[in-house]
Amino acid sequence: MMKKRQYNLVNIIYNDLFFYGKQQLFLLLLVLTSAMLVILVTYNTRSMIMDREKIFLEKDALDTEWRNLILEEKILSDHSRIECIAINELQMHYVDPTQNNMFN
């Protein structure tokens, strides 16, 4: 009777890759390296895009705050408002030019 020979699949793959397929193994490593670099670049690009969007949102918020501060400054520096506060709260009044005595 003939004995059936069993082959070890791991040894066959090892022999094929390292003794007969060095170019194919090298190309496989290049493809895997390229795929990992594509994943890394895509991740970094998406992170930068998200950071850019956050910066634009912050810029818009700061622009809105700046416009509100400019409006508040204009309202607070309005002459009629200042005059009203001077008369009502500080009891100031206009000086009559006839009562003005500069040299005593």
Side-chain angles (χ1 to χ4, degrees), residues 17-71:
L17 285 177
F18 289 104
F19 294 118
Y20 304 109
K22 290 182 181 179
Q23 291 176 346
Q24 290 84 359
L25 181 63
F26 179 70
L27 291 175
L28 176 67
L29 290 175
L30 285 177
V31 167
L32 291 175
T33 304
S34 173
M36 293 302 292
L37 289 174
V38 166
I39 291 170
L40 183 66
V41 167
T42 303
Y43 174 77
N44 286 338
T45 303
R46 288 183 180 172
S47 295
M48 286 181 195
I49 289 172
M50 289 189 322
D51 291 342
R52 180 176 173 233
E53 290 298 321
K54 287 178 186 175
I55 289 171
F56 278 140
L57 289 174
E58 185 178 345
K59 177 189 168 279
D60 289 341
L62 290 173
D63 282 343
T64 303
E65 184 179 354
W66 173 254
R67 278 184 251 130
N68 288 339
L69 288 172
I70 293 293
L71 287 173

